[in-house]
Amino acid sequence: MPAIFGKGKYGDFQKENSEKSEHSFSWRISALVFFIFFISLAIFFKLYFLQVISYSSFRALAENQHNIFKKLVPERGEIYLQDKSGLYPVAVNKETKMAYAVPKEVNEGDIEKTAEAVSQIFSLDKVEIIDKLSKREDMYEVLKHRLSDDEINKINEANLSGIHLTSESYRYYPSTELAAQLVGFVGWSGDSFGGRYGIEAFSEEELKGQEGNIFHSRDSGGRQIMIKEKEVQEARDGTDLILTIDHIVQYETEKILKSAVEKFQADNGSIIVMETKTGKILSMANYPTFDPNNYAATEDIGAYRNLAVSSAYECGSVFKALTMAAGLDSNRVAPETTYVDSGAVKEAGYTIRNSDLKSNGLQTMTQVLENSLNTGVIFVEKNLGNKNFADYVRRFGFGELTGIDLPGEAAGNIRNLGNFKSDIQFFTASFGQGITVTPLQLISAYNALANGGILMKPQIVEKKIFSDGSEERIIPEEVRRVISEKASLQISQMLRSVVVNGHGKQAGVPGYAVVGKTGTAQVASSKAKGYEDGMNVGSFVGYAPMNDSRFTVLVKITNPKDVQWAESSAAPTFGELMKFLLEYYGIEPTEEYTQADLNKFNQTHTLSQSFLRKDEEKEKNDKKSEDKKIN
């Protein structure tokens, strides 16, 4: 039966079925092998096409993306001082690296892993990085600016897809502390990055330039339409600023000021040098100061402030020259006008005395300035009248901003002059107490005395150079005429007598007709009415040469120790700086002098020499320290 059955109808059918199954299986194997071979071949050719044939085009595409990024970021404008040789950089851009991401280049499955690596290398928040990498349609997302060498090496070693480095600039101040408060610095304030203090802050919009943009079409789902060409609006670089500051004069000013503050153990000090005929600032210095390259290390952030423009104070007797000029201009007094000094003036229950507590009898107006008599300028103010006096104070520029291109300027406070019936307020204001002024306002007012009676706007920017190469030169600006040319000549001659015969002798320079006035003022208490015990501010303001003034200079020394009067602190500081200015600019002597006069001056004016000695000692100590390290 089995044999008969095997040869029958059903046996043939089973055999045929088996053959068909074997044939089908063989065909499927062949098809699978062919499919794998085809796919492998396709992948091979695709890789060959991408990595070999299309290498140049894809590299160009990547570089184009990098170049687009670079086109979007403007270069910050630089800041320069000047001198006889040309320009001197004080705020420039140096190259460093920044990191950015191209989100669509990061595989979606690798976003968290990439964010983890980036957060560890750059010490950034991982969640914020994930958020940036998830913006798939963005061309780029900034990760971190100004990378350290260690961060650059680590990110290069990590070789993360979609994470790139590109060159960027950071702000560098090659002269460190030179003109620090004037220039300011670039840094962070919360989430905002930009200029802080000084020119960097005031001219932020001009310096930072304008960022570029990428414009491209999107579909209804917000996705970029790839067949549409992108439009790139390139960045506009910032404007370069050339300041009126002469870097040699600035250096010498800071050197002398630092020595003066240290010598007199003062709290701080300020000096301004102004070109008389134009109002251009040739130097502006404050001490203590700071290094803008390492501003975060500054212990007292008050050092960032430019006290020369932002700190209003009761200036004291330097104001007497302005009261006298007003009296001369209104023809209420003349240089030879006399009055009898009784040593005191009583008003509204107050007694105002001269600083020397003396009564000097019959005195001319010139002697009032020579001896710095409070009663004498009260005599002038009475002749002017309260309203007329207040008008002159405002015409000189007090109580309003000068408009200088620097941030934080104070307007001072002359509200005491609002009530014309309160004589006592006007009497004290006539000698610089009870009202506050800034050093910048004060030097501008004196500059009007030196400039034939014309008040000039203080100028700090000489020229602007725009990104397209065009330039704009800033023209000196007259504000108004304050006093007549005749009154200007008269007050100059009287102030010359102060330097020759009065309290300003140490401000004199052999061979030149220097004019000016001292001022020693009490410091108003911040806690109660009245003044701080034992504290004062010494000032000297003047100009030279008398008949054709080139420079107006203000020196302010706050709370000098062991020195009571400005004639012993601010006046010699002024004299030493004025001598340097006259010699540096080659101004011909206006008077005869002897070598003995010059020797005497050099013996009593030693601030610059003291600075050099300390500089040499510092170099020696630094060298000794270095030698110890080597050994």
Side-chain angles (χ1 to χ4, degrees), residues 124-158:
L124 298 174
D125 183 70
K126 179 182 174 181
V127 175
E128 290 183 6
I129 298 172
I130 289 175
D131 182 57
K132 290 183 177 183
L133 298 183
S134 299
K135 297 176 182 178
R136 311 302 291 170
E137 300 303 320
D138 279 7
M139 286 294 296
Y140 72 93
E141 283 288 328
V142 175
L143 297 175
K144 189 173 184 181
H145 293 276
R146 199 168 172 178
L147 303 181
S148 66
D149 290 340
D150 185 53
E151 289 172 329
I152 293 170
N153 292 333
K154 285 181 178 179
I155 203 69
N156 283 331
E157 290 170 3

Side-chain angles (χ1 to χ4, degrees), residues 390-449:
D391 288 343
Y392 270 104
V393 170
R394 291 186 178 90
R395 283 165 62 182
F396 272 115
F398 299 107
E400 64 181 22
L401 302 178
T402 68
I404 192 171
D405 292 344
L406 288 171
E409 183 183 4
N413 186 348
I414 60 170
R415 287 195 298 269
N416 283 352
L417 305 185
N419 181 5
F420 299 142
K421 295 181 179 180
S422 178
D423 288 342
I424 187 66
Q425 306 288 0
F426 287 84
F427 291 172
T428 58
S430 70
F431 53 86
Q433 296 279 182
I435 59 173
T436 63
V437 304
T438 66
L440 184 63
Q441 289 174 329
L442 191 55
I443 193 174
S444 297
Y446 262 76
N447 199 67
L449 304 183

Side-chain angles (χ1 to χ4, degrees), residues 138-194:
D138 279 7
M139 286 294 296
Y140 72 93
E141 283 288 328
V142 175
L143 297 175
K144 189 173 184 181
H145 293 276
R146 199 168 172 178
L147 303 181
S148 66
D149 290 340
D150 185 53
E151 289 172 329
I152 293 170
N153 292 333
K154 285 181 178 179
I155 203 69
N156 283 331
E157 290 170 3
N159 194 27
L160 301 169
S161 296
I163 308 301
H164 303 275
L165 300 182
T166 187
S167 296
E168 72 166 350
S169 295
Y170 73 92
R171 209 57 160 176
Y172 178 66
Y173 303 91
S175 295
T176 60
E177 295 181 353
L178 186 74
Q181 290 103 343
L182 190 66
V183 174
F185 56 88
V186 173
W188 290 95
S189 178
D191 296 330
S192 173
F193 184 77

Side-chain angles (χ1 to χ4, degrees), residues 29 88 92 185 208 222 261 267 269 292 311 349 356 360 390 405 453 465 518 550 556 580 583 593 629:
I29 291 295
Y88 184 87
V92 298
F185 56 88
K208 75 177 183 180
V261 171
D267 293 350
S311 179
D356 62 3
N360 296 277
D405 292 344
I465 303 177
T518 57
R550 294 288 303 276
K556 174 193 170 201
F580 164 79
E583 292 177 349
Y593 67 99
K629 289 180 183 178

Side-chain angles (χ1 to χ4, degrees), residues 275-564:
E275 189 175 65
T276 302
K277 291 178 174 59
T278 64
K280 293 179 182 180
I281 305 296
L282 300 179
S283 71
M284 181 180 285
N286 300 278
Y287 188 82
T289 185
F290 70 100
D291 180 0
N293 290 312
N294 193 23
Y295 63 87
T298 305
E299 294 182 2
D300 180 10
I301 62 172
Y304 299 157
R305 290 181 61 207
N306 187 347
L307 300 179
V309 301
S310 66
S311 179
Y313 74 116
E314 297 185 28
C315 63
S317 295
V318 286
F319 204 86
K320 290 173 181 173
L322 306 175
T323 301
M324 189 65 70
L328 295 169
D329 183 67
S330 59
N331 294 315
R332 303 301 171 89
V333 296
E336 62 277 5
T337 299
T338 59
Y339 87 111
V340 177
D341 171 31
S342 63
V345 172
K346 294 184 178 181
E347 175 65 30
Y350 294 92
T351 300
I352 302 173
R353 303 183 186 278
N354 292 324
S355 58
D356 62 3
L357 304 179
K358 297 177 181 178
S359 59
N360 296 277
L362 191 67
Q363 297 285 296
T364 66
M365 294 299 101
T366 299
Q367 289 173 315
V368 166
L369 294 182
E370 287 176 359
N371 299 317
S372 198
L373 302 177
N374 294 340
T375 58
V377 288
I378 291 174
F379 171 83
V380 176
E381 197 282 329
K382 284 181 177 179
N383 277 277
L384 275 167
N386 292 348
K387 185 179 184 305
N388 200 17
F389 173 75
D391 288 343
Y392 270 104
V393 170
R394 291 186 178 90
R395 283 165 62 182
F396 272 115
F398 299 107
E400 64 181 22
L401 302 178
T402 68
I404 192 171
D405 292 344
L406 288 171
E409 183 183 4
N413 186 348
I414 60 170
R415 287 195 298 269
N416 283 352
L417 305 185
N419 181 5
F420 299 142
K421 295 181 179 180
S422 178
D423 288 342
I424 187 66
Q425 306 288 0
F426 287 84
F427 291 172
T428 58
S430 70
F431 53 86
Q433 296 279 182
I435 59 173
T436 63
V437 304
T438 66
L440 184 63
Q441 289 174 329
L442 191 55
I443 193 174
S444 297
Y446 262 76
N447 199 67
L449 304 183
N451 192 38
I454 297 174
L455 183 70
M456 301 297 295
K457 178 182 177 181
Q459 182 179 335
I460 198 69
V461 178
E462 178 83 29
K463 185 167 64 174
K464 301 178 181 180
I465 303 177
F466 302 102
S467 57
D468 62 1
S470 61
E471 299 181 358
E472 177 190 355
R473 185 170 291 276
I474 310 302
I475 306 301
E477 182 180 334
E478 291 186 8
V479 179
R480 57 181 164 265
R481 176 172 287 282
V482 183
I483 60 174
S484 67
E485 194 167 351
K486 175 186 175 184
S488 168
L489 179 60
Q490 287 177 321
I491 193 65
S492 294
Q493 291 171 336
M494 295 168 77
L495 291 175
R496 174 60 182 156
S497 189
V498 171
V499 174
V500 174
N501 304 310
H503 296 305
K505 291 185 179 67
Q506 292 201 63
V509 179
Y512 297 92
V514 175
V515 307
K517 181 72 181 73
T518 57
T520 304
Q522 294 173 285
V523 178
S525 174
S526 58
K527 299 177 182 178
K529 288 184 178 181
Y531 297 92
E532 298 284 358
D533 290 335
M535 290 186 66
N536 69 78
V537 179
S539 304
F540 191 96
V541 196
Y543 44 93
M546 180 180 68
N547 293 325
D548 184 22
S549 179
R550 294 288 303 276
F551 315 107
T552 308
V553 177
L554 174 143
V555 175
K556 174 193 170 201
I557 307 292
T558 303
N559 197 28
K561 311 298 188 297
D562 301 323
V563 177
Q564 184 176 3

